[in-house]
Amino acid sequence: MRRYVFPTLLGYSVLYLIFQVAVAYQIARIPTGVFYLLFGLSGLVLAYWAWRLLPRSSRGLAGLVILAVVPVLGAILPAWSSWLPLAGVFIAYAGARAHLPESDAAAFWGWVFIWPALAMMLIWNIFPSLFALWISLFDRYNFIGKSHFVGLQNYQILMHDPLFWKALSNTFWYVAFTVPLGILLGTLIAILLNERIRLLGLYRTIYFLPYITALTAAAAVWQWIYHPEFGFLNWLLNTPGLDWLHTPDGVIALALKPLGIKLQGFWAGPSVAFVAIMIMSVWHFLGYNVVILLAGLQSIPTQYYEAAELDGAGWWQKQRYVTWPLLSPTTFFLAIIGLIGAFQVFTQVYVMTPTGGVLNDTLTVAMYLYNKGFRDSDFSYASALAVTMFLVILTLTLLQRKVLEKRVTYEQ
């Protein structure tokens, strides 16, 4: 139990420092009185707990007194005093160091070096997420005027919002199209690039170049490619005037129309405009998939292929019975990462179709969230959208892990 004393005190002092900075610079509207009370009581409890477990010394007692007293008086002390609890931890450690085992000292200094990065993650990821959940419970929170606590009202409105369901269906089609196609094409190209051919390094560079190109620049170039009058694609296909990015007709409905089958709504499929954006997205992220899959291919021992050749297996049999099973951990990783990233698609959609397309046929959840927050200044509803999207992504990720992980083959 004593091993966890100083890491706990260190974490407490860092959290108190972050809280004091947020209060001093008015970064967020939070109930400061409640937090001061919470930190004050927690500091007293932790200091007493540490005093019971640590070796007794005058320096140790002085450090724990600083740790306990400063948060209690935090509301009336100057801003620079926020560092005192952290200093108190080091003073207490200096007093107890001579009596601590080497493992306890190593654990303390390990946390000292970890906390700066962990604090940045808390500031830029964890706390904003919790704050988004908090303001989603208010009415039209915009950081300027007053807002009122409304509980789950924003979520009730969201469940009956046709634009949300439209954006969610569009995002679903984007995930269903780009993630499997990106992995399939990436696997085929990675297998070809894993062969011993001339100019192999050049080919690998060419396939990775689109990924390191700025997404906004790549989207702007593809917007020109899809231009109805001057676009390269219409010139190549000899279809002048075809406006790829402003055609709202669903591709499945267009494919089945000659057969007399009429589809509407979700079952009509993604629009022509959205499919054009999907193609651009697959092209842009293909290089990343190829590099990851190529690393997975090169980790497969050559002995398996040699054994397959001795058994008379051809090229296709080796890919099916050796490459694909042993590459499954890599494809599983790409499927998880791809689903999470695809549900957050925004940049290329915003650059190529800033208004969300004709009849909102390219509107995604991330773009709808952006419009609500930064166009309509309704950060409460935007936060409700963000929380809902998080829950959807979490649910699908856990479901994906439960279904796909059973099919993953790990080399023993």
Side-chain angles (χ1 to χ4, degrees):
M1 180 65 69
R2 190 171 61 181
R3 177 179 300 180
Y4 302 104
V5 170
F6 282 111
T8 304
L9 298 180
L10 188 65
Y12 166 81
S13 60
V14 172
L15 291 176
Y16 178 75
L17 175 61
I18 294 173
F19 163 70
Q20 284 286 62
V21 171
V23 172
Y25 291 95
Q26 298 181 352
I27 296 175
R29 296 178 184 175
I30 53 178
T32 55
V34 174
F35 278 92
Y36 274 122
L37 178 62
L38 180 62
F39 275 107
L41 293 177
S42 300
L44 292 172
V45 171
L46 289 176
Y48 176 74
W49 173 62
W51 177 248
R52 293 288 303 272
L53 293 177
L54 294 176
R56 307 294 173 86
S57 68
S58 58
R59 279 191 297 180
L61 177 61
L64 293 177
V65 168
I66 294 173
L67 178 75
V69 172
V70 171
V72 172
L73 304 175
I76 60 175
L77 292 178
W80 61 265
S81 66
S82 327
W83 294 91
L84 290 179
L86 191 60
V89 175
F90 283 94
I91 294 172
Y93 173 77
R97 174 65 185 92
H99 305 282
L100 290 179
E102 193 64 32
S103 59
D104 292 6
F108 171 75
W109 286 107
W111 279 102
V112 167
F113 289 108
I114 287 174
W115 261 110
L118 188 58
M120 296 302 294
M121 188 174 69
L122 287 171
I123 293 171
W124 297 110
N125 295 102
I126 307 300
F127 290 157
S129 300
L130 296 176
F131 186 64
L133 175 62
W134 172 251
I135 65 176
S136 70
L137 305 177
F138 288 80
D139 179 36
R140 296 192 67 86
Y141 191 99
N142 57 13
F143 300 93
I144 300 176
K146 292 184 178 180
S147 55
H148 304 284
F149 184 84
V150 293
L152 300 178
Q153 179 177 316
N154 286 315
Y155 296 93
Q156 294 175 352
I157 297 173
L158 185 146
M159 289 296 106
H160 298 88
D161 185 356
L163 269 183
F164 166 72
W165 292 107
K166 177 66 175 178
L168 186 62
S169 64
N170 290 339
T171 307
F172 170 82
W173 282 118
Y174 180 88
V175 173
F177 182 90
T178 59
V179 176
L181 185 60
I183 294 176
L184 179 60
L185 290 177
T187 303
L188 295 176
I189 295 172
I191 291 174
L192 295 177
L193 293 179
N194 198 37
E195 303 292 335
R196 295 181 179 179
I197 57 176
R198 295 178 61 184
L199 303 177
L200 184 59
L202 176 62
Y203 295 142
R204 291 177 178 176
T205 303
I206 291 173
Y207 277 105
F208 193 66
L209 276 177
Y211 181 70
I212 62 176
T213 304
L215 187 54
T216 51
V221 171
W222 277 83
Q223 192 176 22
W224 170 80
I225 292 174
Y226 290 132
H227 195 278
E229 297 181 10
F230 312 109
F232 172 76
L233 187 59
N234 280 338
W235 171 82
L236 182 66
L237 300 178
N238 195 23
T239 55
L242 180 57
D243 197 347
W244 294 89
L245 296 177
H246 295 87
T247 303
D249 300 324
V251 292
I252 298 178
L254 289 175
L256 298 180
K257 188 175 180 179
L259 302 177
I261 301 176
K262 296 182 180 180
L263 298 176
Q264 294 180 347
F266 173 81
W267 302 109
S271 67
V272 174
F274 207 32
V275 170
I277 296 175
M278 294 177 190
I279 293 172
M280 176 267 160
S281 300
V282 171
W283 167 84
H284 180 79
F285 294 104
L286 184 61
Y288 174 81
N289 291 344
V290 169
V291 169
I292 299 298
L293 289 164
L294 192 57
L297 286 172
Q298 293 177 348
S299 67
I300 299 176
T302 56
Q303 294 88 336
Y304 292 118
Y305 294 104
E306 294 171 357
E309 288 181 0
L310 292 176
D311 290 338
W315 184 87
W316 173 252
Q317 284 78 17
K318 286 190 290 185
Q319 306 307 322
R320 180 180 178 184
Y321 296 108
V322 178
T323 302
W324 186 253
L326 295 181
L327 198 61
S328 56
T330 307
T331 55
F332 175 64
F333 165 77
L334 288 177
I336 295 289
I337 297 300
L339 181 140
I340 296 173
F343 258 99
Q344 302 176 62
V345 59
F346 170 76
T347 304
Q348 56 268 50
V349 178
Y350 185 74
V351 172
M352 301 175 75
T353 56
T355 61
V358 180
L359 303 177
N360 297 306
D361 62 299
T362 63
L363 184 69
T364 63
V365 177
M367 189 171 180
Y368 188 40
L369 185 157
Y370 172 84
N371 290 339
K372 279 294 182 180
F374 296 98
R375 187 191 65 185
D376 301 339
S377 297
D378 188 357
F379 289 96
S380 295
Y381 194 75
S383 297
L385 285 167
V387 173
T388 303
M389 187 166 66
F390 165 76
L391 293 176
V392 170
I393 294 175
L394 178 63
T395 302
L396 292 179
T397 302
L398 294 177
L399 182 63
Q400 194 178 28
R401 286 194 58 182
K402 186 173 183 179
V403 173
L404 296 182
E405 197 168 17
K406 299 177 181 179
R407 303 176 182 271
V408 176
T409 303
Y410 294 101
E411 183 186 2
Q412 301 295 329

